[in-house]
Amino acid sequence: MKTKKSILVIFFSAALLFIFLGWSAVSAYSTAPQTLVNILYVKQGADSIDCTSWATACELQTALSNAVAGDQIWVAAGTYKPTAGTDRTATFQLKSGVAIYGGFAGTETSLAERDWETNITTLSGDIRVGGNAGDNSYHVVTGSGVDETAVLDGFTIRGGNADGSYEENYDRGGGMYNEYNSSPSLSNVTLSGNSATYNGGGMSNYQSSPSLSNVTFSGNSAYYGGGMYNYQSSPSLSNVTFSGNSATYNGGGMSNYDNSSPSLSNVTFSSNSAYGGGGMYNDYNSSPSLSNVTFSTNSAYSGGGMYNNQSSPSLSNVTFSTNSTLYYGGGMFNFVNSSPSLSNVTFSGNSAYYGGGMYNYQSSPTVTNSILWGNNPEQIYNDSLSSVTVTYSDVQDGYTGTGNIDANPLLGPLADNGGFTQTHALGKGSPAIDAGDPAPSNCPATDQRGFPRPIDGNGDGDPICDMGAYEYNSFSLTLDIAGSGSIDLDPDKLEYLWGEEVTLTATADPGWTFIGWSGDASGTENPLIITIRGNTGIKATFTQNEYTLTVAVTPSGSGEVAVDPVKSTYHYGDVVTLTATADPGWTFSSWSGDATGVTNPLIITIKDDTSITAEFINFTIYLPLILR
């Protein structure tokens, strides 16, 4: 006999089995991962603590304190400070797994609705007396030990002033300080008006590798690295601008020190200044990788665009334009055991006391497929201990090396020729076109604008890489017409760039119909949008419309109409003569239908399908009535 205890055990086991089988059944139909995003809402001046809606929004520090991995923080337009008090060490500390988005109006229900460019959201270090930088936060934002899931997107960071203790790292990273192998992700961020007494006015990275996309550094200052300072760090930068930053000593835009290897793509350094390396300073085995980068109007005592000291950066599709120094290397200064590699680089309009384009001191750079033209006083200056290799390059006043030329490359002004950065376009007929290294392996896949290389720019049927950062790709668009009509172009130009879109609209003349495109386009779509990929020829074909002429007589048997000429169909503009002749006892009265009046013969011009009736009256019937 079973005891009560045994019965309970059996019942409990059955219940567990039922729950397990039920859960398994549910799981079998729900194999896809379910991700629920918890959103915390932030508004300036809000005092709620739950942050669960716009109506119960909280302050940013409250949201950061509450957030856990997987959360998003939505921040409405306004200005936010790390503390309402006076503690200069207060900072906005990022968290791994937490994404902070600015740029909301405060009513949105989806992330896609925000407009960070209109709804300016500012993180400010101006915590005490407004406008007095001496009591501002040391770091407005801090990333310590966070990974790439720590996201900051849609903010302006300003007013950080790292002028504190060296031992506590309060003298670096006024706008943002990253340390302990941090790799936060920043997008749509501006760091402006921040400063540091030691390094990284805008951002300082210590053994960290943040990822930056669509970020601007402007008006930041420090002793080293006015915009950004990197120590044993490898940040990744894409679509980033350094403008108007200042370093008291080295690296107005960026300073890299001690085995730092940042990666830069689509980056602009403009109007930055420093003692050494107005745009960028690389020191002690730092080897940044640069592609599609422009250095323009930067200034320094040496190395107006870039200063390399015991460093070997790699440059591909880079432009140095109108940078200046008081002494060495207007575009680039290479100092002691520096071996930069330059491929498809353009130096133009740079100036210095020595080496307007490049100055080399005990260094051995390698230059290929490049242009050095219009720099003052000389394009390349080498001391007696430097070993410089230059090949397949256009160097003003000449330079010894395989494939080098000395001919005006017909450079256009620094301008927006497509892509993120500005470039010097090659003029039509430039000797630099298809004059680079013929080996395909020594030609980048794209030029500085992201347009493909190589292109057969000289039309000899053999595409070879152009010299410089710009691949010549101006192409003709030839139009032909069959029939009668016209083609409108938008834009209407003599030449077009590779990848440029052109709208063609075919308009038929009266009596004609557009029937299709041929040549390098096909189909009947009108207007037609084409993308230029080379010299292009397109024909628009129009066909002449055919019209019928129907002639009748009323009443039947009262007369006839002679048609001249007689055709089965007519075309627009054909002239036809109609002559009405009455039968005996009848007389012509008038025309009706698509012609009126009593003119006989009648001359008509065909413009559409036409139907005309000749009307006659019976003379024997109407004459007695007339005589009465």
Short mmCIF file of all heavy atoms in Angstrom, two decimals, residues 249 273-278 299-304 307 324-330 333 351-353:
data_model
loop_
_atom_site.label_atom_id
_atom_site.label_comp_id
_atom_site.label_asym_id
_atom_site.label_seq_id
_atom_site.Cartn_x
_atom_site.Cartn_y
_atom_site.Cartn_z
N TYR A 249 53.53 71.92 -27.97
CA TYR A 249 54.76 71.29 -28.42
C TYR A 249 54.51 70.45 -29.68
O TYR A 249 54.72 70.93 -30.78
CB TYR A 249 55.38 70.45 -27.31
CG TYR A 249 56.84 70.11 -27.57
CD1 TYR A 249 57.76 71.11 -27.88
CD2 TYR A 249 57.29 68.80 -27.51
CE1 TYR A 249 59.09 70.82 -28.14
CE2 TYR A 249 58.63 68.49 -27.76
CZ TYR A 249 59.51 69.50 -28.07
OH TYR A 249 60.83 69.20 -28.33
N SER A 273 47.88 73.48 -35.51
CA SER A 273 49.21 74.06 -35.34
C SER A 273 49.92 73.46 -34.14
O SER A 273 49.29 73.02 -33.18
CB SER A 273 49.11 75.58 -35.19
OG SER A 273 48.36 75.93 -34.04
N ALA A 274 51.26 73.46 -34.22
CA ALA A 274 52.09 72.94 -33.13
C ALA A 274 53.53 73.36 -33.38
O ALA A 274 53.86 73.89 -34.45
CB ALA A 274 51.99 71.42 -33.06
N TYR A 275 54.39 73.10 -32.41
CA TYR A 275 55.82 73.33 -32.62
C TYR A 275 56.34 72.30 -33.61
O TYR A 275 57.04 72.62 -34.57
CB TYR A 275 56.56 73.24 -31.29
CG TYR A 275 58.05 73.45 -31.41
CD1 TYR A 275 58.59 74.74 -31.46
CD2 TYR A 275 58.92 72.37 -31.49
CE1 TYR A 275 59.96 74.94 -31.57
CE2 TYR A 275 60.29 72.55 -31.61
CZ TYR A 275 60.81 73.84 -31.65
OH TYR A 275 62.16 74.03 -31.79
N GLY A 276 55.98 71.02 -33.43
CA GLY A 276 56.35 69.96 -34.35
C GLY A 276 55.13 69.17 -34.78
O GLY A 276 54.36 68.73 -33.93
N GLY A 277 54.97 69.02 -36.09
CA GLY A 277 53.83 68.26 -36.61
C GLY A 277 52.51 68.99 -36.44
O GLY A 277 51.73 68.65 -35.54
N GLY A 278 52.30 69.99 -37.29
CA GLY A 278 51.06 70.74 -37.17
C GLY A 278 49.83 69.86 -37.28
O GLY A 278 48.89 69.98 -36.51
N SER A 299 50.23 74.15 -39.69
CA SER A 299 51.49 74.89 -39.55
C SER A 299 52.26 74.44 -38.32
O SER A 299 51.67 73.97 -37.33
CB SER A 299 51.21 76.40 -39.46
OG SER A 299 50.38 76.69 -38.34
N ALA A 300 53.58 74.57 -38.40
CA ALA A 300 54.46 74.17 -37.29
C ALA A 300 55.83 74.80 -37.50
O ALA A 300 56.14 75.36 -38.56
CB ALA A 300 54.57 72.66 -37.22
N TYR A 301 56.68 74.66 -36.50
CA TYR A 301 58.07 75.07 -36.66
C TYR A 301 58.78 74.09 -37.57
O TYR A 301 59.56 74.47 -38.43
CB TYR A 301 58.75 75.13 -35.29
CG TYR A 301 60.18 75.63 -35.34
CD1 TYR A 301 60.47 76.99 -35.41
CD2 TYR A 301 61.24 74.73 -35.31
CE1 TYR A 301 61.79 77.44 -35.46
CE2 TYR A 301 62.55 75.16 -35.36
CZ TYR A 301 62.81 76.52 -35.43
OH TYR A 301 64.12 76.96 -35.48
N SER A 302 58.47 72.78 -37.44
CA SER A 302 58.96 71.74 -38.34
C SER A 302 57.84 70.72 -38.56
O SER A 302 57.12 70.38 -37.63
CB SER A 302 60.19 71.03 -37.77
OG SER A 302 61.29 71.91 -37.69
N GLY A 303 57.78 70.23 -39.82
CA GLY A 303 56.74 69.25 -40.15
C GLY A 303 55.35 69.86 -40.13
O GLY A 303 54.54 69.53 -39.26
N GLY A 304 55.09 70.72 -41.10
CA GLY A 304 53.80 71.40 -41.11
C GLY A 304 52.63 70.43 -41.17
O GLY A 304 51.67 70.55 -40.42
N TYR A 307 55.13 65.16 -38.79
CA TYR A 307 56.49 65.05 -38.26
C TYR A 307 56.67 63.61 -37.79
O TYR A 307 55.90 63.11 -36.98
CB TYR A 307 56.65 66.01 -37.08
CG TYR A 307 58.05 66.17 -36.54
CD1 TYR A 307 58.66 67.42 -36.50
CD2 TYR A 307 58.79 65.10 -36.02
CE1 TYR A 307 59.93 67.61 -35.98
CE2 TYR A 307 60.06 65.26 -35.50
CZ TYR A 307 60.63 66.53 -35.48
OH TYR A 307 61.89 66.70 -34.97
N SER A 324 52.64 74.56 -43.87
CA SER A 324 53.81 75.43 -43.81
C SER A 324 54.57 75.26 -42.50
O SER A 324 54.00 74.88 -41.48
CB SER A 324 53.38 76.90 -43.95
OG SER A 324 52.52 77.29 -42.89
N THR A 325 55.88 75.54 -42.57
CA THR A 325 56.74 75.56 -41.38
C THR A 325 57.69 76.74 -41.46
O THR A 325 57.95 77.28 -42.55
CB THR A 325 57.59 74.29 -41.26
OG1 THR A 325 58.55 74.27 -42.32
CG2 THR A 325 56.73 73.04 -41.35
N LEU A 326 58.21 77.10 -40.33
CA LEU A 326 59.24 78.14 -40.32
C LEU A 326 60.59 77.56 -40.72
O LEU A 326 61.46 78.30 -41.18
CB LEU A 326 59.34 78.77 -38.93
CG LEU A 326 58.13 79.59 -38.46
CD1 LEU A 326 58.34 80.06 -37.03
CD2 LEU A 326 57.92 80.79 -39.38
N TYR A 327 60.75 76.25 -40.57
CA TYR A 327 62.07 75.71 -40.81
C TYR A 327 62.06 74.45 -41.69
O TYR A 327 62.28 74.54 -42.88
CB TYR A 327 62.77 75.41 -39.46
CG TYR A 327 64.24 75.67 -39.53
CD1 TYR A 327 64.74 76.91 -39.91
CD2 TYR A 327 65.15 74.67 -39.20
CE1 TYR A 327 66.10 77.15 -39.97
CE2 TYR A 327 66.52 74.90 -39.25
CZ TYR A 327 66.99 76.15 -39.64
OH TYR A 327 68.33 76.37 -39.72
N TYR A 328 61.78 73.26 -41.14
CA TYR A 328 61.98 72.01 -41.90
C TYR A 328 60.65 71.36 -42.31
O TYR A 328 59.75 71.20 -41.49
CB TYR A 328 62.75 70.98 -41.07
CG TYR A 328 64.09 71.42 -40.57
CD1 TYR A 328 64.33 71.55 -39.21
CD2 TYR A 328 65.12 71.69 -41.46
CE1 TYR A 328 65.58 71.94 -38.74
CE2 TYR A 328 66.37 72.08 -41.00
CZ TYR A 328 66.59 72.21 -39.63
OH TYR A 328 67.82 72.60 -39.18
N GLY A 329 60.58 70.93 -43.57
CA GLY A 329 59.50 70.06 -44.03
C GLY A 329 58.12 70.66 -44.00
O GLY A 329 57.36 70.39 -43.05
N GLY A 330 57.78 71.43 -45.02
CA GLY A 330 56.45 72.01 -45.07
C GLY A 330 55.36 70.96 -45.07
O GLY A 330 54.38 71.05 -44.33
N PHE A 333 58.21 66.08 -42.33
CA PHE A 333 59.58 66.08 -41.80
C PHE A 333 59.86 64.71 -41.21
O PHE A 333 59.15 64.24 -40.33
CB PHE A 333 59.74 67.16 -40.73
CG PHE A 333 61.11 67.23 -40.11
CD1 PHE A 333 62.26 67.06 -40.88
CD2 PHE A 333 61.27 67.46 -38.75
CE1 PHE A 333 63.53 67.14 -40.31
CE2 PHE A 333 62.53 67.54 -38.17
CZ PHE A 333 63.66 67.38 -38.95
N SER A 351 55.19 74.79 -47.94
CA SER A 351 56.35 75.70 -47.88
C SER A 351 57.11 75.56 -46.57
O SER A 351 56.55 75.20 -45.54
CB SER A 351 55.87 77.16 -48.05
OG SER A 351 54.99 77.52 -47.01
N ALA A 352 58.41 75.82 -46.66
CA ALA A 352 59.30 75.74 -45.50
C ALA A 352 60.58 76.51 -45.81
O ALA A 352 60.76 77.01 -46.93
CB ALA A 352 59.62 74.28 -45.18
N TYR A 353 61.47 76.61 -44.83
CA TYR A 353 62.78 77.20 -45.10
C TYR A 353 63.64 76.18 -45.85
O TYR A 353 64.36 76.51 -46.79
CB TYR A 353 63.45 77.60 -43.79
CG TYR A 353 64.66 78.48 -43.99
CD1 TYR A 353 64.50 79.84 -44.29
CD2 TYR A 353 65.94 77.96 -43.90
CE1 TYR A 353 65.61 80.65 -44.47
CE2 TYR A 353 67.04 78.76 -44.09
CZ TYR A 353 66.88 80.10 -44.37
OH TYR A 353 67.98 80.90 -44.58
#
